[in-house]
């Protein structure tokens, strides 16, 4: 596990070095990172200061800003209000809106698998009031934020059993108050590696808060900066307390990047 620091001086130094990279990717998770969590996923929004910094970075020369989320692409576009020319990666790397082109092609077999898993999970959700089944293009999420820990554990166990019975090759991954079941084995790490190659980036900044963001931190190397937002074990080199603290980090990076 990478040694993680909360030392502000170390973060400031890392950002200063990063801002000087010839070509930079700024990859950002949305929920819990740019935006605080909410019980109703459609009602979340990026913190104004963070979003202003994101837009400054988006306009900076030789800088590619990408929102990399577990949300479906349409939902990510709707809640972020991202400009049309800002790159978006949804469903943990399955769906892409990069360079103005959408990419989310599933095979007929994958579409059938998604439907089969979704039907099985709907049956589970019907037995647990307060548990929400979110249907996504490449899979489904079981949300348990509104129920007790005991109910969540039972619902998740039943969902796991049902999903694996419906599809033996389903990918199961946990997050904060959610367990997801997908038909395509791709991660945010795969997405960041692909983005680096597409844009010939010299360095990557990635910030995220959830277990699924660890796949993104895992592919970072020398000269990159990973920032974990909030508690929990992490491979990120740096940690900050919450989305409000990320605002200052993004403002600093935006200021240095815009004036380099």
């Amino acid at each position: 596990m990478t040694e993680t620091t909360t030392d502000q001086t170390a973060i400031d130094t890392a950002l200063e070095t990063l801002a000087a990279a010839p070509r930079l990717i700024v990859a950002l998770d949305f929920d819990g990172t740019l935006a605080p969590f909410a019980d109703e996923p459609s009602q979340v929004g990026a913190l104004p200061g963070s979003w202003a910094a994101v837009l400054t970075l988006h306009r900076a020369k030789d800088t590619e800003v990408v929102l990399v989320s577990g949300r479906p692409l349409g939902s990510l576009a709707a809640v972020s209000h991202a400009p049309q020319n800002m790159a978006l990666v949804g469903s943990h790397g399955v769906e892409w809106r990069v360079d103005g082109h959408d990419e989310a092609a599933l095979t007929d077999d994958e579409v059938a698998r998604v439907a089969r898993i979704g039907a099985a999970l709907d049956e589970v959700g019907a037995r647990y009031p307060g548990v929400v089944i979110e249907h996504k293009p490449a899979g489904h999420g079981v949300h348990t934020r509104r129920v007790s820990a005991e109910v969540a554990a039972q619902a998740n166990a039943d969902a796991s059993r049902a999903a694996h019975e419906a599809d033996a090759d389903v990918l199961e991954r946990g997050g904060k108050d959610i367990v997801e079941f997908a038909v395509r084995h791709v991660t945010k790490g795969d997405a960041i590696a692909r983005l680096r190659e597409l844009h010939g980036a010299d360095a990557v900044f990635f910030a995220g808060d959830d277990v699924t963001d660890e796949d993104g931190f895992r592919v970072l190397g020398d000269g990159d900066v990973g920032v974990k937002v909030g508690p929990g074990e992490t491979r990120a080199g740096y940690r900050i307390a919450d989305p409000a603290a990320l605002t200052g980090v993004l403002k600093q990076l935006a200021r240095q990047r815009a004036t380099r």
Side-chain angles (χ1 to χ4, degrees):
M1 190 71 68
T2 301
E3 185 176 351
T4 305
T5 181
T6 59
D7 181 71
Q8 189 59 52
T9 299
I11 296 174
D12 291 345
T13 300
L15 292 176
E16 184 176 358
T17 301
L18 187 76
R23 295 191 63 81
L24 175 66
I25 287 176
V26 179
L28 301 162
D29 176 48
F30 192 78
D31 296 276
T33 300
L34 286 175
F37 283 108
D39 286 339
E40 176 49 60
S42 65
Q43 300 302 312
V44 304
L47 294 175
S50 290
W51 193 244
V54 167
L55 293 178
T56 298
L57 286 163
H58 178 57
R59 292 189 294 266
K61 184 180 178 182
D62 297 322
T63 306
E64 183 75 18
V65 173
V66 190
L67 304 187
V68 183
S69 175
R71 281 180 179 263
L73 191 63
S75 173
L76 178 60
V79 297
S80 68
H81 304 288
Q84 187 62 37
N85 63 343
M86 181 179 290
L88 304 179
V89 175
S91 299
H92 300 283
V94 175
E95 299 182 282
W96 287 63
R97 189 187 84 183
V98 178
D99 296 332
H101 301 289
D102 291 353
E103 177 184 328
L106 297 182
T107 66
D108 291 342
D109 177 64
E110 286 174 325
V111 171
R113 291 172 61 203
V114 170
R116 189 165 63 246
I117 296 165
L121 292 175
D122 281 340
E123 292 182 6
V124 174
R127 301 198 297 269
Y128 292 94
V131 171
V132 177
I133 309 300
E134 179 188 9
H135 299 294
K136 301 183 178 185
H140 313 276
V142 179
H143 293 267
T144 54
R145 180 176 293 275
R146 299 176 181 176
V147 299
S148 68
E150 182 179 359
V151 172
Q154 186 60 56
N156 287 338
D158 286 355
S160 178
R161 188 179 309 110
H164 285 277
E165 287 177 354
D167 188 303
D169 197 39
V170 67
L171 172 65
E172 178 177 343
R173 56 187 161 210
K176 292 181 178 178
D177 299 315
I178 184 174
V179 177
E180 298 189 71
F181 302 91
V183 300
R184 189 171 288 183
H185 290 231
V186 295
T187 69
K188 291 184 179 183
D190 297 325
I192 290 172
R194 181 181 172 191
L195 287 164
R196 188 197 300 270
E197 183 177 354
L198 282 174
H199 295 285
D202 300 284
V204 174
F205 174 93
F206 177 54
D209 73 297
D210 211 339
V211 176
T212 56
D213 295 310
E214 293 305 311
D215 294 315
F217 296 134
R218 189 174 291 112
V219 302
L220 300 183
D222 293 342
D224 299 331
V225 172
V227 176
K228 168 77 170 182
V229 181
E233 290 189 2
T234 186
R235 292 176 178 268
Y238 306 92
R239 185 193 304 275
I240 57 175
D242 51 33
L246 183 64
T247 298
V249 172
L250 292 175
K251 283 184 174 180
Q252 179 181 343
L253 181 59
R255 181 171 59 252
Q256 292 173 337
R257 188 67 180 168
T259 58
R260 80 187 195 287

